[in-house]
Amino acid sequence: MGCSQAGPGDERDQVARRVADAVESLASCWFAAAEDVTPHLPVRQLLALRTIQRRPELNLTALAEDLDVGLPTASRLCDRLETAGLLERSVQPHNRREIRLVVTARGRRLLADVTEHRVRRMAAVFATMTPGQCAALEQGLFAFHAHADPGPTTVG
């Protein structure tokens, strides 16, 4: 059961178009907040760092799979993050061929700063909305998240 009982290509497509427009506004706010933080990281590097922080058991191969990139691309992402002092790579004690990825204290501070800037930007927009609009947005986003990604609910 979807957003409406209408057939494909009509009402649901119109809803999807309106939501796509709204998501562009949200994404603009989201990415602009990340640009407020120094050092400024490209989106893919920020996503890699956030992914490693959330899943500390990840190795380079798993990171590449998680980001849906090739192993050389993931390795270059990690090279850049390591050069910036945001990530450390070390050999796993139990498997010397496996590289362990760890977000440094500086990397954790950067991610916390990005999150704080995002929260402040979104809160400024929410301040212009009614409580009902905020509740509807929250409910709708959580429902979308649950249907798009049936895994654990984490927003980052």
Side-chain angles (χ1 to χ4, degrees):
M1 184 163 150
C3 288
S4 71
Q5 297 302 321
D10 46 21
E11 199 172 321
R12 278 179 268 181
D13 284 353
Q14 291 173 10
V15 168
R17 288 181 203 289
R18 289 191 303 269
V19 169
D21 287 342
V23 168
E24 281 188 33
S25 295
L26 177 61
S28 176
C29 178
W30 189 258
F31 293 125
E35 291 175 8
D36 291 344
V37 176
T38 303
H40 170 69
L41 295 182
V43 172
R44 188 156 296 204
Q45 287 181 30
L46 192 57
L47 180 59
L49 198 60
R50 178 84 62 200
T51 301
I52 295 163
Q53 182 184 39
R54 283 192 186 133
R55 297 186 51 208
E57 77 284 359
L58 281 183
N59 61 23
L60 193 57
T61 302
L63 177 65
E65 290 172 4
D66 216 56
L67 297 177
D68 196 26
V69 299
L71 194 55
T73 300
S75 184
R76 284 190 303 273
L77 279 171
C78 290
D79 288 344
R80 291 180 188 113
L81 292 169
E82 192 171 30
T83 298
L86 304 171
L87 176 74
E88 290 178 354
R89 288 189 271 200
S90 62
V91 176
Q92 288 280 19
H94 64 279
N95 182 352
R96 307 245 348 123
R97 295 185 331 195
E98 188 174 310
I99 302 298
R100 181 173 173 234
L101 306 172
V102 179
V103 177
T104 64
R106 183 173 185 219
R108 289 190 301 275
R109 278 191 309 275
L110 174 88
L111 290 172
D113 288 349
V114 168
T115 297
E116 185 57 33
H117 278 79
R118 286 175 171 168
V119 166
R120 277 191 255 138
R121 279 186 178 253
M122 288 190 302
V125 175
F126 296 158
T128 68
M129 298 166 61
T130 67
Q133 289 170 325
C134 289
L137 176 63
E138 181 180 24
Q139 181 181 7
L141 286 174
F142 278 115
F144 182 88
H145 180 67
H147 288 273
D149 179 15
T153 304
T154 56
V155 179

